[in-house]
Amino acid sequence: MSVSNAVYTRTAVALHWLIGIAVLAQITLGLWMITIPKSPPGVRAWWFNVHKSIGITLVAFIVLRLVWRFLHRPPELPAALPNWQRIAAKANHVLLYVCMIVMPVSGYLGSSFTKYPIKFWGVVLPRWIDPSPAAKELCSQIHYVTVCLFMLLVAVHMAAAFMRASRAAA
């Protein structure tokens, strides 16, 4: 059963900003850490494991946000909004959520297809699949393309929010 509100709940707003800031920080970390030299060994692996741990933790918050959104419907878009903008807004939100699931899943699977263990805050997770360089490469490409798409979607989301806020202030 979903509850409809005229405004977003405090929990929805808190989860929105927590996840938004954390995901953008995670992307920044990911883009930075791929520049770390592979030698000396250990430094790069440590940062990759931090990135993986943050990603796995973020999945829990993203799932919580999805459950919250399912149970607490967001407010309706303004009635004056043209239909194409309604469709674009809904499509953008759906794609943002898809990316927030695909990014960590593809990252986790990509890591699973390597010979290196996945450490979640220092705890080695069980290996579920055998190493496969081809599957690892495919997952890495999916992960990277999804990150790029996500950044574009975030830019569109932010531009729409700024435009809406500027119209409301006028």
Side-chain angles (χ1 to χ4, degrees):
M1 173 187 244
S2 67
V3 177
S4 181
N5 295 310
V7 295
Y8 285 97
T9 65
R10 287 184 185 171
T11 303
V13 171
L15 286 169
H16 173 272
W17 285 105
L18 172 73
I19 292 168
I21 292 167
V23 169
L24 292 177
Q26 176 75 329
I27 289 171
T28 302
L29 173 60
L31 293 172
W32 170 77
M33 71 183 196
I34 60 176
T35 68
I36 300 171
K38 293 184 179 183
S39 183
V43 174
R44 183 176 165 109
W46 188 85
W47 280 107
F48 268 73
N49 281 312
V50 167
H51 183 74
K52 293 171 193 179
S53 296
I54 293 169
I56 292 168
T57 303
L58 269 170
V59 167
F61 284 103
I62 292 164
V63 169
L64 176 62
R65 175 68 178 109
L66 284 167
V67 169
W68 189 265
R69 186 174 173 122
F70 178 74
L71 295 174
H72 301 84
R73 290 181 45 108
E76 293 295 322
L77 293 170
L81 201 63
N83 197 42
W84 73 268
Q85 288 181 355
R86 288 175 181 282
I87 293 168
K90 288 183 183 190
N92 192 278
H93 277 102
V94 167
L95 289 171
L96 283 168
Y97 281 111
V98 167
C99 286
M100 285 189 288
I101 297 299
V102 171
M103 280 188 294
V105 169
S106 61
Y108 178 83
L109 288 174
S111 294
S112 297
F113 284 119
T114 70
K115 63 182 178 179
Y116 305 105
I118 297 174
K119 293 181 182 176
F120 179 64
W121 303 116
V123 176
V124 177
L125 298 180
R127 178 171 296 282
W128 303 104
I129 47 183
D130 293 328
S132 168
K136 189 262 186 243
E137 182 59 28
L138 175 63
C139 290
S140 292
Q141 290 300 315
I142 291 169
H143 190 68
Y144 182 75
V145 168
T146 305
V147 166
C148 294
L149 174 61
F150 183 77
M151 290 189 297
L152 175 66
L153 293 167
V154 167
V156 169
H157 179 72
M158 290 172 66
F162 287 133
M163 288 189 327
R164 184 172 179 206
S166 68
R167 282 190 199 132

